[in-house]
Amino acid sequence: MGLLEKIHEPRDLRALDLPELKTLAQEIRQEMIEVVSKNGGHLAPNLGVVELTLALHRIFDSPHDKIVWDVGHQTYVHKLLTGRLKQFKTIRQYKGLSGFPKRGESAHDSFETGHSSTSISAAVGFAMARDVLKENHHVVAVIGDGAMTGGMAYEALNHAGHSETKVIVILNDNEMSISPNVGAMSTYLNRLRTDPMYDKRKEDLEYLLKRIPGIGNQVAKLAAKAKDSLKYLLVPGLLFEELGFTYLGPIDGHDQALVEQVLDQAKNKKCPVLVHVVTCKGKGYKPAEENPDVFHGIGPFDPVTGKVAKKSSPPTYTAVFGETLCKLAQDDPKIVAITAAMPSGTGLNKFADEFPDRFFDVGIAEQHAVTFAAGLAFGGLKPVVPIYSTFYQRAYDQVLHDVCLQQANVVLAIDRAGVVGDDGPTHHGVFDISFFRIIPNLVLMAPKDENELRHMLYTALKHNGPIALRYPRSAGQGLTSEETLTEIPIGKAEVLRDGRDVTLIGIGPMVRTCLLAAQELRHLGIDAAVINLRYISPLDRNTLSHYAKLTTKIITIEDHSLKGGMGSAILEFLEEEGINGVAVERLGYPGFVDQGPIPQLLTTHGLSVKGIVQAAERLRLFPRAAQS
């Protein structure tokens, strides 16, 4: 039996000495490599925080002390040390452990997350609740340097420093989020990493000043107040100190004894503390150390060689989007692209290489990305902003006020729309139709396949005004690319099949499911019309009115929440037009969606041929003989 199997709760760690901790760290890394090589997951971030997580659970008393993780993709080690070793093989699987903190899984998961830059805000909330209730425990936020590019982190730092409540922030600095970090904060942290002697210079200066006969202490105090000169010169960490934090570091995050020593020092301070820990993303596994961006979030791979298991499948919608954008940008020098720290995830790597002067990575700052795009548009450019659907939620105010209210010519590319699989509810893009379709001036569309995506991107860049294009994470249908791109008339649906008994209305990849279901219904004696809606806003009112009156029965199918989604738009349309006597069955998600393989999630929620046939049964479409 290895050491890891003997760790049932964090307090078991305190009986181990440093050599045993080193052995345990190796066992933890091996366990994660084996499981992630089969399940996929976030490997490099977790390999980098092994010693840090061990130190956290040896110095602090979880769950009495609260440990709040940022993003949460670095909590595999935490899960292994908090009683979930036996279930660890189920991580990111249907009905298995979540790949992120989950309050329902363990009392040690104090706060759920999957988005960036939230940990310090939550930690300050925990700390102030403790103070109000006059309780006595520690609160620790663990945040990466990538998450420190998000503005919410600074709002929280500012609040915490001003309030002077006791909270400990651990800055895990590995120089990366998913892709290499950009921006002034990244440069600042790099200066701290490469200047480890500043603490010694500060202490030496204070010692020398105090030795001045008669006036040494007074001079030292005056020097401490000269913040705009002496301290800025000698203390690069002063940014955090000016925000009200005692700054400790930078320290080697893989030196177990040192990390524990500094965390213990932070624990005993009575004010806000920031501990700067430098780690290596992918530590202990050479393929991940050499390619930390590839192993940040990875599918199944060979644990011996590190080679990713490749499946022969058509290009993804994301890849098609990126290729098409590059093609269009070659002919139009006004096209620019913006990413919020996700150039590879949003298919912009090739654009960044081909058009470096027209590519902008703003860091994990979706709000800034959208308003920045509005400024670019009013400056005469054609900005395209691909952001995951789940992360567009964070920029809603900017989409509404800064883009749509002012009718800026911005293309909002909504990547990862619909369910995304094993990352679960924090990452599924199942709410964007609801919050985008209600915004005035915004056109919202979704392609049925990868070719229609290309035409829609072309249409979007020709459109005068804000326009949004949503597409899924999955691979396309393997269609041959249509070289000539044409505009799709705004607000015009596509009738793919005529029918008199029922109208199937699909959006995005669900259109293909509608066509397959129509074939099945035909065998059952039902003549189904199929409409590729294409535009959720504005709707094709003429086409919808015709088929609503003709068939009097409608089934809507969307890879999206039922509340406020496409089906809701159809119901609103019928009411607005005064079309009565139409029965509507809506297929979609009732709320948050669990993790699991995309085909399984679709089937579970009725977004399948069988689900459509069952909806037809509920509409009493089948002849009595067929029903019996």
Side-chain angles (χ1 to χ4, degrees), residues 516-537:
L516 295 172
Q519 295 177 12
E520 181 68 18
L521 290 171
R522 183 181 179 183
H523 296 319
L524 297 170
I526 303 300
D527 187 19
V530 176
I531 296 176
N532 169 23
L533 191 61
R534 295 202 293 205
Y535 289 94
I536 302 125
S537 178

Side-chain angles (χ1 to χ4, degrees), residues 278-289:
V278 180
T279 60
C280 172
K281 198 169 184 179
K283 178 73 172 179
Y285 183 52
K286 188 176 180 181
E289 288 185 19

Side-chain angles (χ1 to χ4, degrees), residues 93-354:
Q93 302 298 291
Y94 188 61
K95 302 296 184 183
L97 286 181
S98 170
F100 299 92
K102 201 78 172 173
R103 286 170 59 85
E105 272 185 19
S106 171
H108 296 279
D109 292 3
S110 60
F111 194 80
E112 295 185 14
T113 185
H115 289 190
S116 166
S117 314
T118 63
S119 61
I120 305 175
S121 294
V124 174
F126 275 114
M128 289 193 173
R130 171 202 63 202
D131 297 346
V132 169
L133 297 173
K134 301 190 184 318
E135 295 175 345
N136 183 25
H137 58 264
H138 297 281
V139 181
V140 183
V142 185
I143 184 168
D145 54 322
M148 287 293 285
T149 64
M152 187 175 175
Y154 296 94
E155 296 173 23
L157 285 172
N158 182 58
H159 184 202
H162 173 74
S163 67
E164 298 184 348
T165 189
K166 173 64 185 297
V167 64
I168 299 169
V169 175
I170 297 175
L171 172 56
N172 174 34
D173 179 3
N174 57 31
E175 304 183 61
M176 294 188 73
S177 47
I178 295 176
S179 301
N181 289 323
V182 298
M185 177 51 63
S186 177
T187 303
Y188 176 74
L189 292 176
N190 183 63
R191 191 166 76 247
L192 292 183
R193 283 191 297 269
T194 56
D195 188 18
M197 295 301 292
Y198 88 86
D199 257 336
K200 186 176 186 304
R201 292 202 304 272
K202 179 184 176 184
E203 291 167 5
D204 288 347
L205 178 66
E206 186 175 344
Y207 173 75
L208 289 171
L209 291 175
K210 287 182 176 179
R211 286 177 60 85
I212 298 174
I215 59 169
N217 287 331
Q218 290 88 335
V219 172
K221 289 179 181 179
L222 286 172
K225 293 179 181 179
K227 295 178 180 178
D228 291 330
S229 55
L230 194 59
K231 289 181 73 176
Y232 278 117
L233 177 65
L234 297 171
V235 189
L238 194 64
L239 169 63
F240 300 111
E241 295 195 3
E242 284 296 293
L243 287 169
F245 281 74
T246 294
Y247 174 86
L248 303 176
I251 62 169
D252 180 356
H254 302 295
D255 185 330
Q256 187 74 52
L258 178 59
V259 175
E260 291 186 18
Q261 175 188 338
V262 175
L263 289 185
D264 192 57
Q265 183 181 353
K267 179 179 177 179
N268 291 314
K269 290 191 177 293
K270 305 298 182 185
C271 57
V273 182
L274 187 137
V275 181
H276 184 179
V277 178
V278 180
T279 60
C280 172
K281 198 169 184 179
K283 178 73 172 179
Y285 183 52
K286 188 176 180 181
E289 288 185 19
E290 293 177 346
N291 298 284
D293 54 337
V294 173
F295 281 84
H296 173 87
I298 193 169
F301 63 93
D302 184 330
V304 177
T305 64
K307 291 184 178 179
V308 180
K310 292 185 178 180
K311 298 179 181 178
S312 56
S313 60
T316 63
Y317 281 83
T318 300
V320 172
F321 168 85
E323 287 285 343
T324 307
L325 185 62
C326 284
K327 177 181 178 181
L328 294 171
Q330 289 169 0
D331 299 325
D332 189 344
K334 291 186 176 181
I335 294 174
V336 296
I338 304 165
T339 182
M342 303 284 283
S344 58
T346 56
L348 290 182
N349 275 349
K350 184 177 178 182
F351 189 99
D353 291 339
E354 291 189 16

Side-chain angles (χ1 to χ4, degrees), residues 94 419 421 428 589 593-605:
Y94 188 61
V419 291
H428 293 318
Y589 306 114
V593 185
D594 289 336
Q595 67 195 34
I598 292 175
Q600 184 167 10
L601 296 177
L602 295 175
T603 300
T604 299
H605 292 280

Side-chain angles (χ1 to χ4, degrees), residues 307-603:
K307 291 184 178 179
V308 180
K310 292 185 178 180
K311 298 179 181 178
S312 56
S313 60
T316 63
Y317 281 83
T318 300
V320 172
F321 168 85
E323 287 285 343
T324 307
L325 185 62
C326 284
K327 177 181 178 181
L328 294 171
Q330 289 169 0
D331 299 325
D332 189 344
K334 291 186 176 181
I335 294 174
V336 296
I338 304 165
T339 182
M342 303 284 283
S344 58
T346 56
L348 290 182
N349 275 349
K350 184 177 178 182
F351 189 99
D353 291 339
E354 291 189 16
F355 311 101
D357 294 337
R358 293 153 60 187
F359 170 76
F360 305 98
D361 187 343
V362 300
I364 304 178
E366 294 85 0
Q367 293 170 291
H368 168 58
V370 171
T371 302
F372 172 57
L376 289 171
F378 290 130
L381 298 176
K382 297 180 181 179
V384 180
V385 194
I387 296 175
Y388 290 5
S389 170
T390 185
F391 300 142
Y392 252 122
Q393 295 161 187
R394 315 190 81 183
Y396 186 65
D397 180 69
Q398 288 69 30
V399 170
L400 197 155
H401 279 187
D402 300 336
V403 172
C404 295
L405 180 62
Q406 303 183 75
Q407 300 193 55
N409 291 332
V410 175
V411 178
L412 307 171
I414 310 167
D415 198 338
R416 301 318 199 254
V419 291
V420 298
D422 302 329
D423 281 337
T426 58
H427 283 59
H428 293 318
V430 296
F431 301 107
D432 55 89
I433 293 177
S434 299
F435 62 74
F436 273 142
R437 78 173 180 86
I438 66 171
I439 303 177
N441 301 329
L442 180 63
V443 173
L444 176 58
M445 56 185 174
K448 70 179 185 295
D449 56 42
E450 61 268 44
N451 265 332
E452 197 165 63
L453 169 67
R454 299 174 74 244
H455 296 300
M456 283 188 172
L457 181 56
Y458 178 78
T459 301
L461 285 163
K462 294 290 185 181
H463 178 67
N464 183 27
I467 189 165
L469 167 62
R470 80 184 303 262
Y471 47 94
R473 178 185 188 180
S474 58
Q477 297 177 25
L479 304 177
T480 301
S481 296
E482 297 171 359
E483 290 302 317
T484 302
L485 299 179
T486 58
E487 290 187 61
I488 299 173
I490 299 295
K492 183 61 179 174
E494 179 184 30
V495 178
L496 296 175
R497 190 181 190 281
D498 197 15
R500 304 186 63 84
D501 296 329
V502 63
T503 303
L504 308 182
I505 304 175
I507 194 74
M510 294 296 98
V511 172
R512 184 169 184 272
T513 306
C514 289
L515 287 169
L516 295 172
Q519 295 177 12
E520 181 68 18
L521 290 171
R522 183 181 179 183
H523 296 319
L524 297 170
I526 303 300
D527 187 19
V530 176
I531 296 176
N532 169 23
L533 191 61
R534 295 202 293 205
Y535 289 94
I536 302 125
S537 178
L539 292 172
D540 184 342
R541 304 180 83 84
N542 290 333
T543 298
L544 291 174
S545 179
H546 171 74
Y547 280 94
K549 293 174 181 177
L550 175 67
T551 66
T552 71
K553 293 179 176 62
I554 293 174
I555 300 173
T556 65
I557 306 95
E558 58 191 307
D559 186 10
H560 188 273
S561 169
L562 286 171
K563 294 181 179 179
M566 179 193 72
S568 295
I570 300 301
L571 290 174
E572 292 170 12
F573 160 77
L574 294 172
E575 186 273 332
E576 291 165 0
E577 294 292 317
I579 302 174
N580 300 315
V582 178
V584 179
E585 277 281 334
R586 296 177 302 138
L587 301 180
Y589 306 114
F592 291 117
V593 185
D594 289 336
Q595 67 195 34
I598 292 175
Q600 184 167 10
L601 296 177
L602 295 175
T603 300

